[in-house]
Amino acid sequence: MKSDTIQDARLDSEKLPFHVAMIMDGNGRWAKQRLMNRVKGHEKGSKTVRSIVTAARELGIGMLTLYAFSTENWARPKIEVSALMMLLKRFLVSERDTLMTRGVRLNILGQQEKLPEDIQREAEKTVEMTRSNQGMVLNLALSYGSRQEITQGVQTLARKIKAGSIQPNDITEEMISDHLYTRQMPDPDLIIRTSGEYRLSNFMMWQAAYSELFITQTLWPDFTRDDFVEILINFQERDRRFGRVKCSTLKDGSPQ
Ligand code: IPE
Ligand code: IPE
Ligand code: MG
């Protein structure tokens, strides 16, 4: 166990997922239940982001990816989009010190060029500042869409073929992975979605091939560190087979 992490006694640090991704959903419904504006739900949701980043770091998670804004979310009312961008900017600026003291490195996954310029600048600054941090990687998926990610990767590969630097048969799964926003990152071991929706909503469709999925009914603003720990306990009890035969059924590890 790393000395700078506060493990939960119910967790086995050897069996923790390295990369946890979260589809943070349910802010609007949380507000609606309280007869409040959707923006209030996003405000409360951004507090959850802070507490879950802290929890993930303390629990010893290596990489946390948070789906914060999808390519399709641009189609929401302008006022809601502006409020989300304002909260995002606030997060990028106000969390700098905390990310530095906790040793968290920030990455942005998605179409950064589509974000307002001030957000791009603040994001770049935080990414740059945290570049050498070694404690945990935090990926914020912003203006992220898996189909767009794959499309731009395919376009880059097609350009390389046209230029003659690679041949079509040279393309491997690894090469495709290396042309996504998540290049050089391990696939998520665990994907959690809050608010009881059973879909990926254009999130990590290539990378999720063998991710364990966990859907919780809890709305994102209500999601707590304890909920997270319960899900990690559930993950540790699962048998990840990757299409093979369960390891414990094999006496010498060879196929039966
Ligand atoms: C998730 O909450 C936040 C974003 C998608 C930006 P929603 O805003 O989707 O909340 P619901 O699904 O409407 O409750
Ligand atoms: C997914 O939630 C995107 C994020 C959490 C950022 P949505 O609320 O946009 O997804 P749908 O529309 O319910 O599929
Ligand atoms: Mg939603």
Side-chain angles (χ1 to χ4, degrees):
M1 190 198 305
K2 287 186 227 136
S3 57
D4 54 353
T5 60
I6 307 166
Q7 276 279 0
D8 189 288
R10 294 166 296 170
L11 292 171
D12 175 352
S13 59
E14 299 293 308
K15 286 191 189 166
L16 270 183
F18 178 80
H19 184 180
V20 178
M22 298 194 185
I23 304 176
M24 310 184 289
D25 199 12
N27 294 351
R29 276 163 283 171
W30 183 91
K32 196 173 174 207
Q33 281 174 0
R34 290 161 179 78
L35 305 176
M36 296 196 293
N37 187 291
R38 293 177 59 83
V39 171
K40 291 281 171 210
H42 296 313
E43 282 172 10
K44 182 74 168 46
S46 68
K47 293 200 176 108
T48 307
V49 171
R50 288 182 177 86
S51 77
I52 293 302
V53 170
T54 303
R57 173 73 183 99
E58 289 178 355
L59 293 166
I61 300 298
M63 185 175 277
L64 177 69
T65 300
L66 299 176
Y67 196 14
F69 194 86
S70 74
T71 45
E72 289 73 26
N73 289 152
W74 289 114
R76 291 191 179 195
K78 223 172 152 210
I79 190 154
E80 183 172 346
V81 172
S82 315
L84 283 164
M85 291 299 144
M86 191 271 291
L87 287 169
L88 176 59
K89 187 171 169 183
R90 197 186 281 173
F91 178 85
L92 289 168
V93 176
S94 71
E95 293 313 287
R96 265 178 208 143
D97 288 350
T98 317
L99 296 178
M100 290 309 291
T101 47
R102 300 244 164 85
V104 177
R105 175 179 176 176
L106 180 78
N107 287 314
I108 310 290
L109 312 179
Q111 304 169 315
Q112 292 196 51
E113 66 288 355
K114 292 233 169 124
L115 297 168
E117 270 180 32
D118 57 331
I119 308 252
Q120 288 187 39
R121 270 197 308 276
E122 298 299 351
E124 224 176 276
K125 203 168 156 190
T126 313
V127 167
E128 202 43 55
M129 193 183 238
T130 61
R131 190 170 294 282
S132 335
N133 286 348
Q134 306 277 335
M136 179 179 86
V137 175
L138 170 65
N139 297 317
L140 281 188
L142 296 176
S143 192
Y144 173 90
S146 193
R147 286 185 170 178
Q148 292 77 6
E149 176 184 41
I150 293 169
T151 305
Q152 61 85 29
V154 170
Q155 286 171 349
T156 307
L157 286 170
R159 277 193 288 273
K160 288 184 181 172
I161 291 172
K162 197 172 174 210
S165 58
I166 57 165
Q167 296 300 311
N169 286 344
D170 294 338
I171 296 177
T172 59
E173 290 181 13
E174 290 71 28
M175 201 182 274
I176 293 174
S177 294
D178 260 352
H179 286 77
L180 303 178
Y181 297 125
T182 49
R183 63 186 66 92
Q184 311 291 318
M185 294 178 189
D187 290 338
D189 300 293
L190 171 64
I191 297 179
I192 298 168
R193 183 165 187 155
T194 57
S195 89
E197 304 292 359
Y198 288 77
R199 53 180 174 263
L200 284 176
S201 301
N202 206 9
F203 185 61
M204 299 249 177
M205 280 152 19
W206 171 272
Q207 299 88 334
Y210 272 100
S211 303
E212 293 296 322
L213 308 178
F214 195 102
I215 314 285
T216 169
Q217 299 301 317
T218 308
L219 302 175
W220 178 254
D222 291 327
F223 190 70
T224 63
R225 179 197 178 102
D226 274 349
D227 297 325
F228 188 17
V229 170
E230 290 299 333
I231 294 169
L232 292 172
I233 292 168
N234 176 286
F235 173 88
Q236 296 193 331
E237 286 161 1
R238 294 191 190 187
D239 179 25
R240 299 183 79 190
R241 290 188 290 277
F242 300 96
R244 299 170 204 192
V245 177
K246 197 172 177 224
C247 284
S248 56
T249 63
L250 308 177
K251 282 197 186 81
D252 59 358
S254 61
Q256 285 173 323

